Amino acid sequence: MIERTLSIIKPDATSRAITGKVNAMIEEKGLKIVAQKLIRLTAVQAEEFYQEHMGKPFFPNLVEIMTSAPIVVQVLQGENAITEYRKVMGATNPAVAEEGTIRKTFALSIDKNTVHGSDSPESAKREIAFFFSELEIYE
Ligand code: ADP
Ligand code: MG
């Protein structure tokens, strides 16, 4: 099934100027970038986007990091894109991520882990709508 997922190239990657390298890995794995923009999140936006993690010990640090520099938000499209992109990203903690994944290759730590990807069809729908109107997504 052709799906769409929401990807974020996080501040640790934009600040190291490796967004092109991350995009190259995404495209090499057959995921198509059908929408993309560079933005800077406010704390309120970051808190709302990551609302499922509100109250967890790492939440304040997560908001701090996600607002520390611009991010690239993108919609990826492809066969089983949600699950496929999670595989391309690798585990949340780069120390245990598989070889060849984005996080194994580029992440600095569990909190500066280079990319975000939606974890379910419901999250993908909410997260895509959070950043993009239907008109901004290439068919
Ligand atoms: P993922 O991004 O792989 O879906 P989660 O949804 O569990 O992971 O967490 C969201 C983000 O919060 C992670 O990508 C990471 O930036 C941060 N995070 C998660 N767990 C921790 C932790 N134990 N310590 C610090 N930051 C964390
Ligand atoms: Mg998650």
PDB file of all heavy atoms in Angstrom, residues 6-13 22-23 26 50 66 72 74 85-86 88-92 101-103 106-107 111-117:
ATOM      1  N   LEU A   6       5.344  11.475   7.961  1.00  0.00           N
ATOM      2  CA  LEU A   6       5.952  12.772   8.255  1.00  0.00           C
ATOM      3  C   LEU A   6       7.373  12.545   8.775  1.00  0.00           C
ATOM      4  O   LEU A   6       7.570  11.771   9.724  1.00  0.00           O
ATOM      5  CB  LEU A   6       5.107  13.516   9.302  1.00  0.00           C
ATOM      6  CG  LEU A   6       5.381  15.001   9.593  1.00  0.00           C
ATOM      7  CD1 LEU A   6       6.516  15.204  10.577  1.00  0.00           C
ATOM      8  CD2 LEU A   6       5.629  15.837   8.346  1.00  0.00           C
ATOM      9  N   SER A   7       8.316  13.193   8.128  1.00  0.00           N
ATOM     10  CA  SER A   7       9.721  13.120   8.544  1.00  0.00           C
ATOM     11  C   SER A   7      10.177  14.500   8.996  1.00  0.00           C
ATOM     12  O   SER A   7       9.764  15.514   8.431  1.00  0.00           O
ATOM     13  CB  SER A   7      10.568  12.653   7.359  1.00  0.00           C
ATOM     14  OG  SER A   7      11.944  12.909   7.599  1.00  0.00           O
ATOM     15  N   ILE A   8      11.022  14.525  10.017  1.00  0.00           N
ATOM     16  CA  ILE A   8      11.692  15.770  10.413  1.00  0.00           C
ATOM     17  C   ILE A   8      13.193  15.515  10.445  1.00  0.00           C
ATOM     18  O   ILE A   8      13.653  14.556  11.072  1.00  0.00           O
ATOM     19  CB  ILE A   8      11.249  16.262  11.808  1.00  0.00           C
ATOM     20  CG1 ILE A   8       9.736  16.495  11.861  1.00  0.00           C
ATOM     21  CG2 ILE A   8      12.003  17.545  12.176  1.00  0.00           C
ATOM     22  CD1 ILE A   8       9.225  16.924  13.253  1.00  0.00           C
ATOM     23  N   ILE A   9      13.939  16.377   9.750  1.00  0.00           N
ATOM     24  CA  ILE A   9      15.396  16.397   9.905  1.00  0.00           C
ATOM     25  C   ILE A   9      15.656  17.411  11.009  1.00  0.00           C
ATOM     26  O   ILE A   9      15.333  18.595  10.885  1.00  0.00           O
ATOM     27  CB  ILE A   9      16.103  16.744   8.586  1.00  0.00           C
ATOM     28  CG1 ILE A   9      15.655  15.782   7.464  1.00  0.00           C
ATOM     29  CG2 ILE A   9      17.619  16.679   8.782  1.00  0.00           C
ATOM     30  CD1 ILE A   9      16.306  16.042   6.114  1.00  0.00           C
ATOM     31  N   LYS A  10      16.181  16.916  12.123  1.00  0.00           N
ATOM     32  CA  LYS A  10      16.203  17.659  13.384  1.00  0.00           C
ATOM     33  C   LYS A  10      17.352  18.682  13.459  1.00  0.00           C
ATOM     34  O   LYS A  10      18.271  18.667  12.633  1.00  0.00           O
ATOM     35  CB  LYS A  10      16.301  16.663  14.543  1.00  0.00           C
ATOM     36  CG  LYS A  10      15.064  15.756  14.698  1.00  0.00           C
ATOM     37  CD  LYS A  10      15.217  14.876  15.941  1.00  0.00           C
ATOM     38  CE  LYS A  10      13.974  14.041  16.207  1.00  0.00           C
ATOM     39  NZ  LYS A  10      14.122  13.261  17.469  1.00  0.00           N
ATOM     40  N   PRO A  11      17.317  19.559  14.482  1.00  0.00           N
ATOM     41  CA  PRO A  11      18.340  20.608  14.617  1.00  0.00           C
ATOM     42  C   PRO A  11      19.787  20.113  14.616  1.00  0.00           C
ATOM     43  O   PRO A  11      20.663  20.789  14.066  1.00  0.00           O
ATOM     44  CB  PRO A  11      17.981  21.266  15.956  1.00  0.00           C
ATOM     45  CG  PRO A  11      16.496  21.135  16.023  1.00  0.00           C
ATOM     46  CD  PRO A  11      16.222  19.752  15.467  1.00  0.00           C
ATOM     47  N   ASP A  12      20.038  18.936  15.180  1.00  0.00           N
ATOM     48  CA  ASP A  12      21.440  18.472  15.178  1.00  0.00           C
ATOM     49  C   ASP A  12      21.947  18.274  13.756  1.00  0.00           C
ATOM     50  O   ASP A  12      23.146  18.423  13.488  1.00  0.00           O
ATOM     51  CB  ASP A  12      21.597  17.188  16.021  1.00  0.00           C
ATOM     52  CG  ASP A  12      20.994  15.952  15.369  1.00  0.00           C
ATOM     53  OD1 ASP A  12      21.700  15.278  14.607  1.00  0.00           O
ATOM     54  OD2 ASP A  12      19.817  15.663  15.620  1.00  0.00           O
ATOM     55  N   ALA A  13      21.029  17.966  12.832  1.00  0.00           N
ATOM     56  CA  ALA A  13      21.421  17.744  11.431  1.00  0.00           C
ATOM     57  C   ALA A  13      21.487  19.053  10.647  1.00  0.00           C
ATOM     58  O   ALA A  13      22.437  19.270   9.887  1.00  0.00           O
ATOM     59  CB  ALA A  13      20.446  16.778  10.767  1.00  0.00           C
ATOM     60  N   VAL A  22      21.258  13.271   4.585  1.00  0.00           N
ATOM     61  CA  VAL A  22      20.094  12.537   5.097  1.00  0.00           C
ATOM     62  C   VAL A  22      19.093  12.308   3.969  1.00  0.00           C
ATOM     63  O   VAL A  22      18.590  11.199   3.775  1.00  0.00           O
ATOM     64  CB  VAL A  22      19.446  13.288   6.285  1.00  0.00           C
ATOM     65  CG1 VAL A  22      18.146  12.612   6.709  1.00  0.00           C
ATOM     66  CG2 VAL A  22      20.420  13.379   7.459  1.00  0.00           C
ATOM     67  N   ASN A  23      18.840  13.365   3.180  1.00  0.00           N
ATOM     68  CA  ASN A  23      17.900  13.213   2.056  1.00  0.00           C
ATOM     69  C   ASN A  23      18.404  12.181   1.051  1.00  0.00           C
ATOM     70  O   ASN A  23      17.608  11.427   0.483  1.00  0.00           O
ATOM     71  CB  ASN A  23      17.659  14.555   1.363  1.00  0.00           C
ATOM     72  CG  ASN A  23      16.519  15.332   2.005  1.00  0.00           C
ATOM     73  OD1 ASN A  23      15.754  14.781   2.788  1.00  0.00           O
ATOM     74  ND2 ASN A  23      16.409  16.601   1.664  1.00  0.00           N
ATOM     75  N   ILE A  26      17.422   8.824   2.336  1.00  0.00           N
ATOM     76  CA  ILE A  26      15.970   8.637   2.194  1.00  0.00           C
ATOM     77  C   ILE A  26      15.637   8.247   0.750  1.00  0.00           C
ATOM     78  O   ILE A  26      14.911   7.276   0.501  1.00  0.00           O
ATOM     79  CB  ILE A  26      15.229   9.939   2.596  1.00  0.00           C
ATOM     80  CG1 ILE A  26      15.306  10.143   4.117  1.00  0.00           C
ATOM     81  CG2 ILE A  26      13.781   9.925   2.109  1.00  0.00           C
ATOM     82  CD1 ILE A  26      14.835  11.506   4.606  1.00  0.00           C
ATOM     83  N   TYR A  50       4.823  17.107  20.104  1.00  0.00           N
ATOM     84  CA  TYR A  50       5.250  15.952  20.896  1.00  0.00           C
ATOM     85  C   TYR A  50       4.346  15.727  22.113  1.00  0.00           C
ATOM     86  O   TYR A  50       4.810  15.224  23.140  1.00  0.00           O
ATOM     87  CB  TYR A  50       6.695  16.140  21.352  1.00  0.00           C
ATOM     88  CG  TYR A  50       7.733  15.766  20.307  1.00  0.00           C
ATOM     89  CD1 TYR A  50       8.584  16.722  19.760  1.00  0.00           C
ATOM     90  CD2 TYR A  50       7.898  14.443  19.877  1.00  0.00           C
ATOM     91  CE1 TYR A  50       9.551  16.375  18.813  1.00  0.00           C
ATOM     92  CE2 TYR A  50       8.853  14.087  18.942  1.00  0.00           C
ATOM     93  CZ  TYR A  50       9.677  15.050  18.412  1.00  0.00           C
ATOM     94  OH  TYR A  50      10.645  14.699  17.490  1.00  0.00           O
ATOM     95  N   MET A  66      14.523  20.606  20.057  1.00  0.00           N
ATOM     96  CA  MET A  66      13.769  20.761  18.801  1.00  0.00           C
ATOM     97  C   MET A  66      13.579  22.223  18.409  1.00  0.00           C
ATOM     98  O   MET A  66      13.224  22.515  17.259  1.00  0.00           O
ATOM     99  CB  MET A  66      12.411  20.056  18.909  1.00  0.00           C
ATOM    100  CG  MET A  66      12.505  18.541  18.924  1.00  0.00           C
ATOM    101  SD  MET A  66      13.336  17.819  17.472  1.00  0.00           S
ATOM    102  CE  MET A  66      12.137  18.180  16.186  1.00  0.00           C
ATOM    103  N   VAL A  72      13.985  20.622   9.069  1.00  0.00           N
ATOM    104  CA  VAL A  72      13.383  20.385   7.758  1.00  0.00           C
ATOM    105  C   VAL A  72      12.230  19.410   7.962  1.00  0.00           C
ATOM    106  O   VAL A  72      12.446  18.296   8.456  1.00  0.00           O
ATOM    107  CB  VAL A  72      14.399  19.802   6.751  1.00  0.00           C
ATOM    108  CG1 VAL A  72      13.703  19.457   5.426  1.00  0.00           C
ATOM    109  CG2 VAL A  72      15.537  20.789   6.507  1.00  0.00           C
ATOM    110  N   GLN A  74       9.182  17.224   6.222  1.00  0.00           N
ATOM    111  CA  GLN A  74       8.957  16.658   4.890  1.00  0.00           C
ATOM    112  C   GLN A  74       7.902  15.567   4.935  1.00  0.00           C
ATOM    113  O   GLN A  74       7.705  14.927   5.959  1.00  0.00           O
ATOM    114  CB  GLN A  74      10.270  16.136   4.281  1.00  0.00           C
ATOM    115  CG  GLN A  74      11.221  15.572   5.262  1.00  0.00           C
ATOM    116  CD  GLN A  74      12.582  15.137   4.727  1.00  0.00           C
ATOM    117  OE1 GLN A  74      13.127  14.210   5.286  1.00  0.00           O
ATOM    118  NE2 GLN A  74      13.143  15.752   3.706  1.00  0.00           N
ATOM    119  N   TYR A  85      10.156   3.842   6.586  1.00  0.00           N
ATOM    120  CA  TYR A  85      10.996   4.947   7.050  1.00  0.00           C
ATOM    121  C   TYR A  85      11.520   4.692   8.460  1.00  0.00           C
ATOM    122  O   TYR A  85      12.664   5.034   8.773  1.00  0.00           O
ATOM    123  CB  TYR A  85      10.249   6.280   6.966  1.00  0.00           C
ATOM    124  CG  TYR A  85      11.145   7.466   7.256  1.00  0.00           C
ATOM    125  CD1 TYR A  85      12.409   7.576   6.662  1.00  0.00           C
ATOM    126  CD2 TYR A  85      10.755   8.458   8.143  1.00  0.00           C
ATOM    127  CE1 TYR A  85      13.251   8.641   6.937  1.00  0.00           C
ATOM    128  CE2 TYR A  85      11.588   9.542   8.412  1.00  0.00           C
ATOM    129  CZ  TYR A  85      12.833   9.630   7.816  1.00  0.00           C
ATOM    130  OH  TYR A  85      13.668  10.690   8.092  1.00  0.00           O
ATOM    131  N   ARG A  86      10.704   4.063   9.327  1.00  0.00           N
ATOM    132  CA  ARG A  86      11.196   3.722  10.665  1.00  0.00           C
ATOM    133  C   ARG A  86      12.425   2.803  10.561  1.00  0.00           C
ATOM    134  O   ARG A  86      13.365   2.923  11.347  1.00  0.00           O
ATOM    135  CB  ARG A  86      10.094   3.041  11.504  1.00  0.00           C
ATOM    136  CG  ARG A  86       8.881   3.903  11.843  1.00  0.00           C
ATOM    137  CD  ARG A  86       9.147   5.016  12.819  1.00  0.00           C
ATOM    138  NE  ARG A  86       9.760   4.600  14.055  1.00  0.00           N
ATOM    139  CZ  ARG A  86       9.833   5.367  15.146  1.00  0.00           C
ATOM    140  NH1 ARG A  86       9.303   6.600  15.152  1.00  0.00           N
ATOM    141  NH2 ARG A  86      10.435   4.949  16.219  1.00  0.00           N
ATOM    142  N   VAL A  88      14.535   2.721   7.941  1.00  0.00           N
ATOM    143  CA  VAL A  88      15.628   3.531   7.390  1.00  0.00           C
ATOM    144  C   VAL A  88      16.233   4.424   8.487  1.00  0.00           C
ATOM    145  O   VAL A  88      17.443   4.636   8.537  1.00  0.00           O
ATOM    146  CB  VAL A  88      15.116   4.388   6.203  1.00  0.00           C
ATOM    147  CG1 VAL A  88      16.164   5.377   5.722  1.00  0.00           C
ATOM    148  CG2 VAL A  88      14.656   3.490   5.044  1.00  0.00           C
ATOM    149  N   MET A  89      15.379   4.921   9.403  1.00  0.00           N
ATOM    150  CA  MET A  89      15.849   5.765  10.513  1.00  0.00           C
ATOM    151  C   MET A  89      16.723   4.992  11.486  1.00  0.00           C
ATOM    152  O   MET A  89      17.725   5.505  11.971  1.00  0.00           O
ATOM    153  CB  MET A  89      14.641   6.303  11.304  1.00  0.00           C
ATOM    154  CG  MET A  89      13.835   7.358  10.597  1.00  0.00           C
ATOM    155  SD  MET A  89      12.211   7.579  11.372  1.00  0.00           S
ATOM    156  CE  MET A  89      12.635   7.901  13.064  1.00  0.00           C
ATOM    157  N   GLY A  90      16.302   3.775  11.835  1.00  0.00           N
ATOM    158  CA  GLY A  90      16.972   3.005  12.875  1.00  0.00           C
ATOM    159  C   GLY A  90      16.423   3.330  14.259  1.00  0.00           C
ATOM    160  O   GLY A  90      15.588   4.219  14.417  1.00  0.00           O
ATOM    161  N   ALA A  91      16.927   2.615  15.265  1.00  0.00           N
ATOM    162  CA  ALA A  91      16.412   2.738  16.634  1.00  0.00           C
ATOM    163  C   ALA A  91      16.601   4.145  17.193  1.00  0.00           C
ATOM    164  O   ALA A  91      17.531   4.861  16.811  1.00  0.00           O
ATOM    165  CB  ALA A  91      17.109   1.729  17.531  1.00  0.00           C
ATOM    166  N   THR A  92      15.723   4.527  18.120  1.00  0.00           N
ATOM    167  CA  THR A  92      15.762   5.843  18.770  1.00  0.00           C
ATOM    168  C   THR A  92      17.152   6.136  19.343  1.00  0.00           C
ATOM    169  O   THR A  92      17.672   7.242  19.197  1.00  0.00           O
ATOM    170  CB  THR A  92      14.715   5.894  19.911  1.00  0.00           C
ATOM    171  OG1 THR A  92      13.447   5.491  19.390  1.00  0.00           O
ATOM    172  CG2 THR A  92      14.620   7.279  20.515  1.00  0.00           C
ATOM    173  N   THR A 101      21.639   2.540   8.903  1.00  0.00           N
ATOM    174  CA  THR A 101      20.484   3.400   9.173  1.00  0.00           C
ATOM    175  C   THR A 101      20.945   4.853   9.335  1.00  0.00           C
ATOM    176  O   THR A 101      22.133   5.122   9.581  1.00  0.00           O
ATOM    177  CB  THR A 101      19.739   2.948  10.446  1.00  0.00           C
ATOM    178  OG1 THR A 101      20.635   3.051  11.568  1.00  0.00           O
ATOM    179  CG2 THR A 101      19.249   1.500  10.322  1.00  0.00           C
ATOM    180  N   ILE A 102      19.993   5.779   9.191  1.00  0.00           N
ATOM    181  CA  ILE A 102      20.320   7.203   9.328  1.00  0.00           C
ATOM    182  C   ILE A 102      20.870   7.492  10.725  1.00  0.00           C
ATOM    183  O   ILE A 102      21.876   8.194  10.890  1.00  0.00           O
ATOM    184  CB  ILE A 102      19.078   8.077   9.040  1.00  0.00           C
ATOM    185  CG1 ILE A 102      18.669   7.952   7.568  1.00  0.00           C
ATOM    186  CG2 ILE A 102      19.347   9.544   9.405  1.00  0.00           C
ATOM    187  CD1 ILE A 102      17.322   8.610   7.228  1.00  0.00           C
ATOM    188  N   ARG A 103      20.205   6.938  11.746  1.00  0.00           N
ATOM    189  CA  ARG A 103      20.639   7.244  13.113  1.00  0.00           C
ATOM    190  C   ARG A 103      22.004   6.614  13.438  1.00  0.00           C
ATOM    191  O   ARG A 103      22.830   7.250  14.100  1.00  0.00           O
ATOM    192  CB  ARG A 103      19.557   6.818  14.112  1.00  0.00           C
ATOM    193  CG  ARG A 103      18.391   7.826  14.126  1.00  0.00           C
ATOM    194  CD  ARG A 103      17.200   7.302  14.856  1.00  0.00           C
ATOM    195  NE  ARG A 103      16.225   8.357  15.196  1.00  0.00           N
ATOM    196  CZ  ARG A 103      15.017   8.113  15.678  1.00  0.00           C
ATOM    197  NH1 ARG A 103      14.618   6.876  15.895  1.00  0.00           N
ATOM    198  NH2 ARG A 103      14.192   9.115  15.954  1.00  0.00           N
ATOM    199  N   PHE A 106      24.480   8.975  11.506  1.00  0.00           N
ATOM    200  CA  PHE A 106      24.606  10.415  11.791  1.00  0.00           C
ATOM    201  C   PHE A 106      24.269  10.855  13.217  1.00  0.00           C
ATOM    202  O   PHE A 106      24.697  11.932  13.621  1.00  0.00           O
ATOM    203  CB  PHE A 106      23.698  11.212  10.849  1.00  0.00           C
ATOM    204  CG  PHE A 106      24.065  11.074   9.392  1.00  0.00           C
ATOM    205  CD1 PHE A 106      23.180  10.508   8.483  1.00  0.00           C
ATOM    206  CD2 PHE A 106      25.295  11.526   8.923  1.00  0.00           C
ATOM    207  CE1 PHE A 106      23.513  10.385   7.132  1.00  0.00           C
ATOM    208  CE2 PHE A 106      25.633  11.409   7.577  1.00  0.00           C
ATOM    209  CZ  PHE A 106      24.746  10.837   6.684  1.00  0.00           C
ATOM    210  N   ALA A 107      23.475  10.077  13.966  1.00  0.00           N
ATOM    211  CA  ALA A 107      22.995  10.582  15.260  1.00  0.00           C
ATOM    212  C   ALA A 107      24.147  10.729  16.254  1.00  0.00           C
ATOM    213  O   ALA A 107      25.107   9.952  16.243  1.00  0.00           O
ATOM    214  CB  ALA A 107      21.925   9.656  15.818  1.00  0.00           C
ATOM    215  N   ASP A 111      19.119  11.837  22.304  1.00  0.00           N
ATOM    216  CA  ASP A 111      18.275  13.032  22.149  1.00  0.00           C
ATOM    217  C   ASP A 111      18.643  13.855  20.912  1.00  0.00           C
ATOM    218  O   ASP A 111      17.794  14.565  20.377  1.00  0.00           O
ATOM    219  CB  ASP A 111      18.251  13.880  23.424  1.00  0.00           C
ATOM    220  CG  ASP A 111      19.627  14.246  23.941  1.00  0.00           C
ATOM    221  OD1 ASP A 111      20.640  13.717  23.414  1.00  0.00           O
ATOM    222  OD2 ASP A 111      19.697  15.052  24.870  1.00  0.00           O
ATOM    223  N   LYS A 112      19.864  13.750  20.447  1.00  0.00           N
ATOM    224  CA  LYS A 112      20.260  14.425  19.194  1.00  0.00           C
ATOM    225  C   LYS A 112      20.367  13.345  18.125  1.00  0.00           C
ATOM    226  O   LYS A 112      21.462  12.985  17.673  1.00  0.00           O
ATOM    227  CB  LYS A 112      21.573  15.176  19.386  1.00  0.00           C
ATOM    228  CG  LYS A 112      21.411  16.324  20.371  1.00  0.00           C
ATOM    229  CD  LYS A 112      22.696  17.054  20.644  1.00  0.00           C
ATOM    230  CE  LYS A 112      22.437  18.182  21.643  1.00  0.00           C
ATOM    231  NZ  LYS A 112      23.680  18.654  22.267  1.00  0.00           N
ATOM    232  N   ASN A 113      19.173  12.814  17.754  1.00  0.00           N
ATOM    233  CA  ASN A 113      19.161  11.610  16.925  1.00  0.00           C
ATOM    234  C   ASN A 113      18.692  11.846  15.490  1.00  0.00           C
ATOM    235  O   ASN A 113      18.157  10.956  14.845  1.00  0.00           O
ATOM    236  CB  ASN A 113      18.397  10.479  17.621  1.00  0.00           C
ATOM    237  CG  ASN A 113      16.950  10.832  17.892  1.00  0.00           C
ATOM    238  OD1 ASN A 113      16.507  11.924  17.579  1.00  0.00           O
ATOM    239  ND2 ASN A 113      16.212   9.899  18.451  1.00  0.00           N
ATOM    240  N   THR A 114      18.892  13.079  15.013  1.00  0.00           N
ATOM    241  CA  THR A 114      18.924  13.419  13.577  1.00  0.00           C
ATOM    242  C   THR A 114      17.582  13.432  12.845  1.00  0.00           C
ATOM    243  O   THR A 114      17.365  14.304  12.010  1.00  0.00           O
ATOM    244  CB  THR A 114      19.946  12.511  12.829  1.00  0.00           C
ATOM    245  OG1 THR A 114      21.166  12.514  13.564  1.00  0.00           O
ATOM    246  CG2 THR A 114      20.205  12.966  11.414  1.00  0.00           C
ATOM    247  N   VAL A 115      16.713  12.458  13.127  1.00  0.00           N
ATOM    248  CA  VAL A 115      15.443  12.399  12.390  1.00  0.00           C
ATOM    249  C   VAL A 115      14.273  11.983  13.273  1.00  0.00           C
ATOM    250  O   VAL A 115      14.447  11.304  14.284  1.00  0.00           O
ATOM    251  CB  VAL A 115      15.512  11.420  11.190  1.00  0.00           C
ATOM    252  CG1 VAL A 115      16.202  12.042   9.993  1.00  0.00           C
ATOM    253  CG2 VAL A 115      16.150  10.093  11.575  1.00  0.00           C
ATOM    254  N   HIS A 116      13.087  12.402  12.822  1.00  0.00           N
ATOM    255  CA  HIS A 116      11.812  11.928  13.365  1.00  0.00           C
ATOM    256  C   HIS A 116      11.047  11.253  12.241  1.00  0.00           C
ATOM    257  O   HIS A 116      11.110  11.708  11.099  1.00  0.00           O
ATOM    258  CB  HIS A 116      10.978  13.112  13.885  1.00  0.00           C
ATOM    259  CG  HIS A 116       9.537  12.743  14.139  1.00  0.00           C
ATOM    260  ND1 HIS A 116       9.111  12.240  15.343  1.00  0.00           N
ATOM    261  CD2 HIS A 116       8.444  12.744  13.325  1.00  0.00           C
ATOM    262  CE1 HIS A 116       7.801  11.963  15.265  1.00  0.00           C
ATOM    263  NE2 HIS A 116       7.375  12.266  14.046  1.00  0.00           N
ATOM    264  N   GLY A 117      10.289  10.218  12.553  1.00  0.00           N
ATOM    265  CA  GLY A 117       9.356   9.623  11.602  1.00  0.00           C
ATOM    266  C   GLY A 117       8.100   9.180  12.323  1.00  0.00           C
ATOM    267  O   GLY A 117       8.170   8.674  13.450  1.00  0.00           O
TER     268      GLY A 117
END
